[in-house]
Amino acid sequence: MSVASDKHIELHCTNCGYTLDYKTGEAVCPRCGESILEAAYDLDALNRSNWPEQLARRRPGVWRYHELLPLRDLDHIVTMGEGGTPMLRPPNLSTLLGLKNLFIKDERQGPTGSFKDRQASVAISVLREWGVSEAVVASTGNVAIAYAAYAARGGIKLWTFLTSQVPGDKMREVALYGAEVIKVTGTYDATKAVAAQFAQSRKLFLDRGIKSIAAIESMKTMAYEIAEDLDWRAPDWFIQGVSGGMGPIGVAKGFQELMQLGLVDKVPAIGIVQSEGCAPMVNAFKAGQRIATPVENPQTLIATLSTGRPGRAYEWLWSIMQEWGGTAETASDEEAFEAMHLLARLDGLSVEPATAVAFAGFFKMVRNGMIRPDDVVVFNCSGHTSSVEKHVLGDQWARQVDVSRAGRVSLPEEGLLSALEQVEAAVSRIVVIDDTADAARLIERILQTRGRYQVEIARDGASGIELVKEVRPDVVITDLMMPGMDGFEVIDRLKADPALSGIPIIVLTAKELTPRERDRLSGQIEFLLQKGSFLDEDLLQGIIKTLR
Ligand SMILES: Cc1ncc(COP(=O)(O)O)c(C=O)c1O
Ligand SMILES: [Zn+2]
């Protein structure tokens, strides 16, 4: 890549507004001592260069936006193809929640599996430009993994300080890349303090986390990619599980720059989620407070999100959310694990707990109406489930088939068949009557992944009644609004036929019912689920109760 030595970058003090030039090394404001400074670029010059057209000719990834990143000589770039991650649509989750425009920014596809790969690539490249050969970083796991990989590649010795709550698998990955791993028994905030002392005593470079220019600047690239993917529009929401707040702050800065460039017309509202046992930011936001009360003893299995003292970062995020809108939710570890399982079962996505907790909070935002059915929602999604699958699945996750003895005796098929027969448990038959193909298929999927259900689908009322006569199901699930014979009439006819009147009926509808319609259904059906506001567990529990 070329050398951009004429690049002019200024730093603006977020406290007093003082401006200084961006040079080698981290800076604090010389006027007021503030340590959070914001980088500013020559956006007018960029605008004159017809940037979007240039971008269209570049390869995907973080560095395609190099004009707006804090590196002067592009020969210093340490890259492994980070960024350029796809925006996946989760079709089944979208149907379940009734959201038409849900996108998952799939940061799992980064080199080490989280959005922190962007940060590591920019931060390690900048260290190379500054001639730093040894550095110290404190982390809740993913930053250490990403930095360790990029530091190895960039030839920088790295000392990582991790809280002892970080899963062993993650720590070993850090060690595998050749970084020094120091486990600190204590909170993440205490771990940061130990790392800082160590760096000071050894006179080593200390990564300043959210106060590092490289860190925030790297996160902007998610905003640029999202805007490009949406044909230069900003989504209505950016949702993330937060710890220090770097992701949403950086993304908001990215959209602000795109606004200044005239490429988008707003900054998305920010939805933040934290674990119930460590939610200083969410608690403060819900209470309308600009300053967060620290959580001194985080109580959560989700170590990744265990920043108890967000400090000034929260004030920064708070002001962004005041200006552009936002919402905040907590979710328990159990809710996070349920959400993780749901996402995996429904749409084949395996996400780590820090992302799963965000999904659990996000479900609440949809249910309480903060997020509307037409909103364009982008979700920051990272990680892999492997270290926590035991919490999610329990012990009953496989069925055992033993053919080892049968295989050695004369008739292997017989042994195999009788073993397989044990796998087939009792089946409940369910008829689904729904004219929307997506909804019908989703119900089928939900039930089939749970094993014991045989689902038959009819696409209109008349053929639904015929199907019920033929199959004699254990339960009927019907929509109400259908062309031709609607759900009300289907129910009336089933109830009028003595041979079918005993079959329990569940109604699944997108329609807001009038009191008269409710009266008409009462006594006829087992229960009613509102489309877009139920989770698969609600449906399943309803069916299990009905069958009993
Ligand atoms: C997967 C994942 N999600 C969320 C976070 C929280 O990041 P932040 O609050 O700094 O944006 C982290 C931090 O390491 C992470 O690894
Ligand atoms: Zn200042």
Side-chain angles (χ1 to χ4, degrees), residues 136 161 190-203 206:
V136 177
F161 287 72
T191 304
K192 279 195 279 194
V194 175
Q197 276 167 14
F198 176 81
Q200 198 182 25
S201 68
R202 295 262 190 128
K203 301 213 170 8
L206 174 70

Side-chain angles (χ1 to χ4, degrees), residues 295-317:
V295 172
E296 299 300 354
N297 273 307
Q299 299 291 326
T300 171
L301 289 170
I302 306 174
T304 308
L305 301 185
S306 60
T307 300
R309 296 180 155 269
R312 291 288 316 287
Y314 170 68
E315 289 176 57
W316 196 357
L317 186 55

Side-chain angles (χ1 to χ4, degrees), residues 400-409 411-420 422:
Q400 198 95 18
V401 175
D402 186 354
V403 288
S404 55
R405 246 180 311 151
R408 263 178 266 119
V409 191
L411 280 173
E413 304 84 33
E414 213 168 85
L416 182 61
L417 283 181
S418 72
L420 283 175
Q422 293 157 23

Side-chain angles (χ1 to χ4, degrees), residues 115-116 140 142-143 240-248 304-305 352 354 382:
F115 67 108
K116 298 295 180 176
T140 58
N142 288 344
V143 168
Q240 194 196 294
V242 296
S243 188
M246 187 186 296
T304 308
L305 301 185
E352 74 167 83
S382 280

Side-chain angles (χ1 to χ4, degrees), residues 198-471:
F198 176 81
Q200 198 182 25
S201 68
R202 295 262 190 128
K203 301 213 170 8
L204 294 177
F205 179 90
L206 174 70
D207 182 271
R208 300 195 310 167
I210 196 157
K211 295 173 182 169
S212 142
I213 297 293
I216 293 290
E217 297 301 289
S218 72
M219 294 297 155
K220 298 186 314 192
T221 59
M222 275 192 286
Y224 304 156
E225 289 176 11
I226 292 166
E228 264 199 284
D229 270 344
L230 296 175
D231 292 326
W232 296 112
R233 269 182 313 144
D236 299 305
W237 290 95
F238 176 80
I239 314 270
Q240 194 196 294
V242 296
S243 188
M246 187 186 296
I249 290 172
V251 164
K253 182 171 191 275
F255 278 107
Q256 276 167 311
E257 286 171 348
L258 294 180
M259 270 183 82
Q260 286 162 24
L261 288 165
L263 292 170
V264 300
D265 60 4
K266 67 173 181 184
V267 173
I270 304 286
I272 60 168
V273 185
Q274 295 191 298
S275 178
E276 252 167 38
C278 183
M281 295 210 207
V282 172
N283 293 342
F285 188 84
K286 283 191 163 184
Q289 291 164 350
R290 189 174 61 87
I291 307 227
T293 307
V295 172
E296 299 300 354
N297 273 307
Q299 299 291 326
T300 171
L301 289 170
I302 306 174
T304 308
L305 301 185
S306 60
T307 300
R309 296 180 155 269
R312 291 288 316 287
Y314 170 68
E315 289 176 57
W316 196 357
L317 186 55
W318 188 83
S319 66
I320 290 168
M321 291 168 77
Q322 293 306 304
E323 187 170 0
W324 302 105
T327 189
E329 280 297 343
T330 58
S332 66
D333 290 1
E334 291 72 30
E335 288 169 328
F337 292 141
E338 266 169 35
M340 175 190 286
H341 202 181
L342 175 79
L343 213 60
R345 277 194 316 255
L346 279 190
D347 284 311
L349 298 170
S350 147
V351 304
E352 74 167 83
T355 296
V357 79
F359 272 101
F362 164 65
F363 297 159
K364 296 180 185 177
M365 295 170 189
V366 175
R367 284 174 150 180
N368 71 21
M370 254 334 268
I371 293 179
R372 312 285 313 158
D374 291 321
D375 285 352
V376 178
V377 180
V378 177
F379 210 96
N380 181 358
C381 174
S382 280
H384 294 285
T385 49
S386 49
S387 59
V388 289
E389 277 153 13
K390 54 184 180 291
H391 295 294
V392 176
L393 292 176
D395 298 327
Q396 300 294 315
W397 51 271
R399 295 190 185 124
Q400 198 95 18
V401 175
D402 186 354
V403 288
S404 55
R405 246 180 311 151
R408 263 178 266 119
V409 191
S410 55
L411 280 173
E413 304 84 33
E414 213 168 85
L416 182 61
L417 283 181
S418 72
L420 283 175
E421 254 164 33
Q422 293 157 23
V423 173
E424 300 289 341
V427 172
S428 300
R429 280 154 305 152
I430 296 178
V431 164
V432 176
I433 310 172
D434 199 321
D435 64 311
T436 0
D438 284 351
R441 225 178 299 123
L442 176 66
I443 297 166
E444 186 178 23
R445 280 277 320 273
I446 291 173
L447 297 176
Q448 283 178 345
T449 54
R450 302 306 188 91
R452 299 170 11 250
Y453 303 95
Q454 180 195 326
V455 180
E456 307 274 353
I457 296 173
R459 298 288 298 281
D460 62 68
S463 58
I465 290 177
E466 288 311 307
L467 192 62
V468 173
K469 283 183 184 157
E470 186 193 317
V471 174

